[in-house]
Amino acid sequence: MAFPLRDVNTGSNEGAHCISADGSLILFTGCDRDILFRGCDIYYSVFRDSSWTKPANIGKVINTPAWESQPSLSADGKTLFFVSDRVGGIGGRDIWYTKKNERDVWSEPVNLGPDINTERDDETPYLHPDGKTLYFRSNGRLGMGDFDIYTAQWYEDK
């Protein structure tokens, strides 16, 4: 049976969500929800005691005054991909990633670089459960239309 997620769904603008492989965490985009962070940011809610917690902003390590959206969590829950038009990017909207350390703290985000990101928009990352195949869309490459879907092999520098 489907039911709305109270506090996640509001009269405002939410979307671009992902749920952890174990079903205990939802990450989503919320726009204009927080007085400290304007625009669109990434929020999370945890499934605890048979219900979802009140959503919280994931924090200033990931969210900036720029646009952050489209979270995608790896199957092991340790790598978060997202899209941003923050300072330091290559194009309009770029794909970034951050890693969770042993204390469950996200690291400073890293841009995926020019092999993935173009001078235009590169969005909607999804890392296959194999941990290696990254899917995304781009309008900065030669393709069949405005946005086309691409794959790349993800080999993280250790």
Side-chain angles (χ1 to χ4, degrees), residues 8 10-16 28-35 37-43 57 67-70 93:
V8 171
T10 70
S12 191
N13 182 2
E14 294 88 26
F28 67 95
T29 304
C31 300
D32 299 319
R33 292 175 68 108
D34 194 320
I35 197 167
F37 295 90
R38 297 275 183 214
C40 295
D41 290 312
I42 298 173
Y43 289 80
N57 190 296
W67 183 87
E68 279 82 30
S69 183
Q70 304 173 1
R93 292 180 175 164

Side-chain angles (χ1 to χ4, degrees), residues 39-97:
C40 295
D41 290 312
I42 298 173
Y43 289 80
Y44 70 95
S45 178
V46 178
F47 192 73
R48 188 178 295 140
D49 300 324
S50 301
S51 66
W52 291 94
T53 61
K54 183 174 175 137
N57 190 296
I58 202 165
K60 64 182 180 179
V61 170
I62 295 172
N63 291 326
T64 70
W67 183 87
E68 279 82 30
S69 183
Q70 304 173 1
S72 178
L73 194 60
S74 63
D76 67 6
K78 295 180 182 179
T79 305
L80 174 63
F81 293 87
F82 65 96
V83 177
S84 180
D85 60 3
R86 65 180 54 208
V87 173
I90 292 170
R93 292 180 175 164
D94 284 357
I95 301 172
W96 298 73
Y97 77 96

Side-chain angles (χ1 to χ4, degrees), residues 123-144:
E123 304 178 338
T124 60
Y126 171 75
L127 186 65
H128 187 277
D130 68 10
K132 294 182 174 103
T133 308
L134 179 70
Y135 295 87
F136 62 99
R137 76 181 202 151
S138 176
N139 65 2
R141 294 172 161 65
L142 183 60
M144 299 297 292

